[in-house]
Amino acid sequence: MDSAFDSAKWSGVSGAGKPLTFTVGARGNQTSSLPSGYNHGLRGPDGQVYWDGSYPNLRTDAYNRSYTVCWTNGGEVWGIRHFDVYGNGAVAYEGGYGSSAGSMAHLLRDISFVSTIVTYTSDEPSGNRLNEGLAAEMYNCGASRSVFGSSNFPAWSSYLLIGQKGVGEGNGTEYFSAGGPSSYVRATFSIVNGVPSIGGASIKDARDLAFSDGRGVDVLRGVAEGATVGAPSGTMVGNTEAQTVTNWAYTGQQDPAGRINRGETTTINGGRITTGSITANQIAANTITADRLNVTSLSALSANIGDVTAGVVRNASGSAKFDLNAGRIIFDNGSVMKVSGNGFGSSGQFIEWFGPRKANLADCTEANANYYLKTDGSSYFGGSLSAGTTKNAIGTTSTATNANVTTGLVGSRGGTRVVVLSYSWSWSQSVDKFQNEGSGSDLSAQIVLSRNGADVATRTATGSWYRDPAFSADEPGSYREGIGGSLTFTDNSGGTTVTYSARLTGRNTGPGPQNGSNRGGIATQNISIVQTEQ
């Protein structure tokens, strides 16, 4: 394999976690009218651009003449190369492959099998695209003769292919718009378990689009599939007389039925098979694979399905979701939500969290939780308790390093009193200066519980900090940290009155942004006492 291909290492500009949903756009040289929100090239879930650290001019938003090829095996890491197919390599681009149609064919051959491949065009993609073996490699990645190979592919057109290496001719999804002032195409697609899909359908089943007004690529297929068939006898197309339907159907090798009966191989366009004409008896047993299924309901099935491997299981309303890939269970009624999982939250610190609904689980923090359980074994409860007939609760949100709170003198029946002391601290800041990714878990805070002025319990809460990468004010990152913990004290001292108080005696916070920031941060701190009497 070519050494330039082996050494290509790609990463996203910003954002944590693995991106799953992408947008891609293409436009021609004469395009003068673009819709609002159009972005050229390939963009990540948050609009981010990808590029090669070794070749800084290789970016997924580049408008370089002819073709750009992007490929990935999962969505986090993208490869990218530009090719001046129109100019037969007259414009040289970086990357070690050359720039002609043959160079692009070479790259497509080198890309590993089943990789997702996204090809978009800029300026002029028509000339030379069928030369030097490029067409065959594009067909292998899902392009079709009906669109990419069509003679109805004028200069300055716009073209997109969302495909896979080895998926086969016509099994990708293509988008095409003929050259002109409105020549552009754009698409949104997802990658799930390494497989590209569009609108929930695999790329094999998604509808190809030929024009921005929604007309299908069938308008192009006349040239590729014999548009002269069925024309009135004597009609001339170019210098060729059109065939009648009768002549075409019964002329030697053009007779499909005859070829099948002779044991020869022929191709039948699935779109010309009468809907509903193929029955179960005509399908061989054990031949329908999972990638050929696209159904909206399996309610008619009744079976013991045994050991199941799945991705995401959810109900129709979306209020319950089991994300088996991420290892999470989510209950969401639109107002509050409960999440259980293998490390999630602002710094992956929770295994269980309950609080107000959050669209992004990265927004779940100690400060906005009603209660939580953390991966380090600590926990916190700040909601309403119904344990006994009397309850006293008090809290403070002061961010001072010596913050304190007291219940004041409260009455008691002399029974067992349970006191829960909870503490949380968080700090977040947008970072507009260069910053490397980093994290640490050496944060701590000490809180002390007192009864009638005498210390009765102490808790050291722990936490962590995290830096998201930042590059500039235009491509900012973030810094965030959090500390949390709680203790439960059982008081059997009796008496008719009692006073509980809590104070912060020490707080060891994180290092902050790597090189500072011109943007302000947000700090929150909460100390609460909840006392119930049994």
Side-chain angles (χ1 to χ4, degrees), residues 132-390:
E132 300 180 349
L134 176 57
E137 296 303 324
M138 286 289 287
Y139 298 155
N140 186 41
C141 297
S144 70
R145 300 170 198 268
S146 304
V147 183
F148 182 82
S150 173
S151 60
N152 188 15
F153 196 125
W156 304 317
S157 295
S158 304
Y159 174 81
L160 291 178
L161 169 66
I162 301 172
Q164 276 186 293
K165 175 65 176 289
V167 75
E169 182 176 345
N171 286 326
T173 299
E174 297 172 287
Y175 297 79
F176 176 85
S177 178
S182 298
S183 176
Y184 74 91
V185 287
R186 58 179 175 176
T188 299
F189 67 98
S190 298
I191 298 178
V192 181
N193 295 327
V195 179
S197 64
I198 298 174
S202 70
I203 57 171
K204 295 181 180 180
D205 302 320
R207 181 173 184 265
D208 296 326
L209 295 178
F211 298 93
S212 57
D213 63 5
R215 285 180 290 158
V217 296
D218 299 281
V219 300
L220 299 175
R221 290 190 169 126
V223 174
E225 298 180 4
T228 65
V229 174
S233 179
T235 300
M236 298 297 293
V237 178
N239 295 320
T240 303
E241 181 177 355
Q243 301 179 68
T244 65
V245 172
T246 301
N247 288 338
W248 179 82
Y250 296 98
T251 53
Q253 298 302 313
Q254 300 289 351
D255 175 12
R259 294 184 67 179
I260 294 171
N261 291 334
R262 289 193 299 270
E264 299 178 12
T265 300
T266 190
T267 300
I268 300 175
N269 188 322
R272 297 197 170 107
I273 299 175
T274 302
T275 301
S277 64
I278 297 178
T279 66
N281 290 335
Q282 295 162 323
I283 301 174
N286 302 317
T287 59
I288 300 179
T289 56
D291 61 337
R292 303 299 182 185
L293 295 176
N294 182 19
V295 296
T296 58
S297 176
L298 295 175
S299 58
L301 292 180
S302 177
N304 181 353
I305 58 177
D307 195 2
V308 178
T309 299
V312 177
V313 181
R314 75 183 83 209
N315 63 358
S317 68
S319 62
K321 174 181 173 182
F322 295 4
D323 187 342
L324 302 180
N325 292 324
R328 293 173 188 152
I329 302 175
I330 301 173
F331 297 100
D332 179 358
N333 69 359
S335 176
V336 296
M337 65 187 294
K338 176 184 176 182
V339 184
S340 299
N342 296 326
F344 64 94
S346 59
S347 58
Q349 70 271 46
F350 301 122
I351 60 172
E352 188 162 292
W353 183 96
F354 173 74
R357 183 183 187 275
K358 300 294 179 184
N360 188 337
L361 294 186
D363 294 331
C364 296
T365 66
E366 290 85 347
N368 56 28
N370 287 63
Y371 83 80
Y372 59 74
L373 304 177
K374 298 179 71 172
T375 56
D376 64 2
S378 62
S379 61
Y380 164 78
F381 182 83
S384 298
L385 289 174
S386 298
T389 58
T390 61

